Amino acid sequence: MDHFLYRDGVLHAEDVAISDIATEVGAPFYVYSSATLTRHFRLFDDALDWTDHLVCYAMKANSNQAVLKLLGDLGAGMDVVSGGEYMRAKAAGIPGERIVFSGVGKTRAEMRLALEGGIRQFNVESEPEMHALSEVASSMGAVAPITIRVNPDVDAKTHEKIATGKSENKFGIPISRAKEVYAEAAALPGLEVIGIDVHIGSQLTQLEPFGQAFDKVAELTGVLRAEGHDIRRLDLGGGLGIPYERSNDAPPLPQEFGQLVREKVGHLGCEIEIEPGRLIAGNAGLLVSEVIYIKQGEDRQFMIIDAAMNDLIRPAMYGAYHEIIPVVEPEAGAEQVKYDIVGPVCESGDTFAKQRVMPPVEAGALVAFRSAGAYGAVMASEYNSRPLIPEVLVHEDQFAVIRARPTFDEMINRDTIPSWL
Ligand code: LLP
């Protein structure tokens, strides 16, 4: 459920008309609903209320400071994957003890940064990384709490670019070698082994692969405890999918996910962490764009809009589907036409949808992409020298620009011309 509904013939974000935001901010822009972000965080938090837990929002999905502050105030922890994300989380007021550090390529500088600023745990993904962290922590006289991310070799049944739990993926250590690697970790100075981490992929629309992975983690917990490791925390990753296409079957709900966790690992008495990103932010955001031209091609109509692949890369990169709707509510029973919906960037890959059936719109109309709150703004670039588009946060009847659109000068002045030119 989200908080983007037609009211009085116009799409609203909570109590604010999208057209009013467009008048003030100018298209294209991202807009997020505080109520939806709050609701989605609470769904996960409630789904785990049967045990000691922390929902660590995977901030790669949407790392705007305002979004982080909102979630942090609700009690969220953060899952970070770079020094930049760590600094963003700290800047938004998230205490180190609520930040977990994931990722296959943490540098020594990033490790130092997190150890200095405080960290809940590192999710270690390889033996070389484990040795590096041991060295860094020891040199600082610190002890780094760690879990080791295991790769359970489970098919997440999602897009190949976002599946992470198969043995051919770069993530984690093979679960078959876990016993050996944990023994090595326990013997290294500067590390304290506290648990196990697993994350098998993103946009999972079935519970079954999670179940398979959690079974393997439960079994491993027993094996490692028998070896003398004090396994007291399980980080079960993120990955629960969202309904991009309303006509498709809805993916499982956080409550069902929470029940599965309870069923599979509840008996172990571990503290549970999860790292959802998409389900918290995805349906909490729209990308709003203005139609520049309707162009008649040989055999099709192109809707050329002022947003492009640089603003929302998901359709070009993953063939992802986003529902695209007019901001002015179509009349009931309005005719349906077909458009190829494209942006102004100079490549054919800049196509959001082909032969999309929707009510007719005219140049100057606003359209909204649903489910654009996760992996939208964060993946944007300035390709074709298109300045990053603004982000807006709505709270009931108020809205605020939470990232302003840079001017052309601001964009250009980030470059420097060397003295010899
Ligand atoms: N934890 C780890 C270690 C991850 O790698 C990810 C996502 C998450 C948690 C959060 O997964 P989520 O709950 O959001 O599914 N750009 C792609 C998605 C990439 C996901 C990367 N890792 C997209 O637009 O679909």
Side-chain angles (χ1 to χ4, degrees):
M1 197 201 115
D2 60 41
H3 293 77
F4 302 109
L5 295 171
Y6 288 113
R7 212 190 283 175
D8 303 325
V10 179
L11 188 65
H12 278 61
E14 302 187 22
D15 300 330
V16 180
I18 297 295
S19 45
D20 289 348
I21 304 176
T23 304
E24 192 162 320
V25 177
F29 59 89
Y30 280 101
V31 55
Y32 312 127
S33 153
S34 304
T36 313
L37 288 164
T38 303
R39 181 184 139 80
H40 289 168
F41 171 76
R42 291 218 169 108
L43 286 177
F44 276 115
D45 207 25
D46 292 348
L48 296 176
D49 64 1
W50 50 271
T51 189
D52 191 9
H53 68 274
L54 184 66
V55 178
C56 293
Y57 168 61
M59 60 181 273
K60 60 170 77 70
N62 184 324
S63 54
N64 188 288
Q65 286 290 290
V67 171
L68 303 187
K69 172 80 166 63
L70 183 156
L71 294 171
D73 286 353
L74 296 172
M78 296 289 150
D79 169 47
V80 308
V81 292
S82 69
E85 283 197 348
Y86 179 82
M87 293 307 281
R88 273 187 179 276
K90 290 302 290 267
I94 315 294
E97 65 264 23
R98 280 201 259 140
I99 304 178
V100 304
F101 206 141
S102 301
V104 291
K106 299 174 203 80
T107 64
R108 285 173 165 79
E110 288 174 325
M111 293 168 178
R112 213 167 290 121
L113 193 70
L115 285 167
E116 272 162 9
I119 190 80
R120 180 177 179 81
Q121 101 226 2
F122 291 91
N123 294 332
V124 171
E125 298 222 16
S126 68
E127 287 151 291
E129 183 197 340
M130 194 167 88
H131 286 276
L133 183 58
S134 165
E135 274 166 36
V136 172
S138 305
S139 74
M140 295 170 65
V143 175
I146 66 161
T147 71
I148 295 178
R149 178 169 175 181
V150 292
N151 184 324
D153 196 20
V154 164
D155 182 358
K157 302 201 173 80
T158 185
H159 191 284
E160 59 162 345
K161 286 189 181 154
I162 53 175
T164 57
K166 287 288 285 173
S167 59
E168 72 243 32
N169 302 130
K170 67 181 174 183
F171 300 97
I173 58 148
I175 198 161
S176 55
R177 295 199 43 237
K179 205 164 122 176
E180 201 183 312
V181 178
Y182 270 84
E184 205 183 334
L188 285 172
L191 302 182
E192 186 190 6
V193 174
I194 59 166
I196 306 174
D197 172 41
V198 73
H199 170 80
I200 57 173
S202 192
Q203 187 53 18
L204 271 70
T205 53
Q206 297 166 36
L207 284 183
E208 194 227 322
F210 286 117
Q212 284 174 29
F214 300 165
D215 276 340
K216 292 193 178 191
V217 167
E219 191 192 329
L220 180 63
T221 304
V223 170
L224 295 177
R225 281 179 171 169
E227 294 285 305
H229 301 284
D230 181 11
I231 302 298
R232 52 193 185 274
R233 183 180 293 165
L234 301 180
D235 181 333
L236 301 175
L240 196 57
I242 62 171
Y244 282 99
E245 220 165 330
R246 270 145 220 261
S247 52
N248 286 359
D249 289 345
L253 301 172
Q255 192 61 35
E256 298 168 75
F257 178 85
Q259 280 312 311
L260 180 79
V261 172
R262 184 175 199 167
E263 182 191 315
K264 299 293 187 188
V265 302
H267 59 287
L268 298 168
C270 289
E271 179 186 7
I272 302 295
E273 262 168 23
I274 53 168
E275 304 169 349
R278 190 190 309 268
L279 203 144
I280 291 180
N283 284 334
L286 302 177
L287 165 62
V288 179
S289 180
E290 187 176 318
V291 179
I292 312 176
Y293 300 115
I294 301 290
K295 166 172 159 170
Q296 187 62 53
E298 173 77 31
D299 63 348
R300 63 192 62 219
Q301 281 204 96
F302 294 99
M303 183 197 296
I304 304 172
I305 62 175
D306 65 0
M309 64 189 289
N310 68 297
D311 304 308
L312 178 68
I313 192 83
R314 304 193 68 260
M317 188 150 172
Y318 313 109
Y321 180 99
H322 284 265
E323 200 181 327
I324 302 169
I325 58 171
V327 166
V328 172
E329 187 174 15
E331 304 277 320
E335 69 166 312
Q336 300 276 316
V337 292
K338 278 187 193 159
Y339 293 113
D340 278 18
I341 302 173
V342 301
V345 161
C346 298
E347 48 183 291
S348 297
D350 186 21
T351 297
F352 291 117
K354 285 199 163 148
Q355 296 297 289
R356 180 66 63 86
V357 177
M358 61 181 283
V361 291
E362 292 178 355
L366 294 169
V367 293
F369 289 63
R370 285 190 178 275
S371 315
Y375 307 113
V378 284
M379 294 181 80
S381 75
E382 289 180 339
Y383 185 40
N384 278 210
S385 288
R386 297 167 45 87
L388 291 183
I389 66 175
E391 294 173 85
V392 173
L393 184 66
V394 169
H395 171 61
E396 298 174 353
D397 61 355
Q398 311 171 52
F399 71 92
V401 174
I402 56 172
R403 180 183 289 176
R405 189 191 310 277
T407 61
F408 287 133
D409 279 347
E410 281 165 344
M411 179 176 71
I412 295 163
N413 291 337
R414 288 206 309 268
D415 301 358
T416 336
I417 298 179
S419 58
W420 66 82
L421 279 178

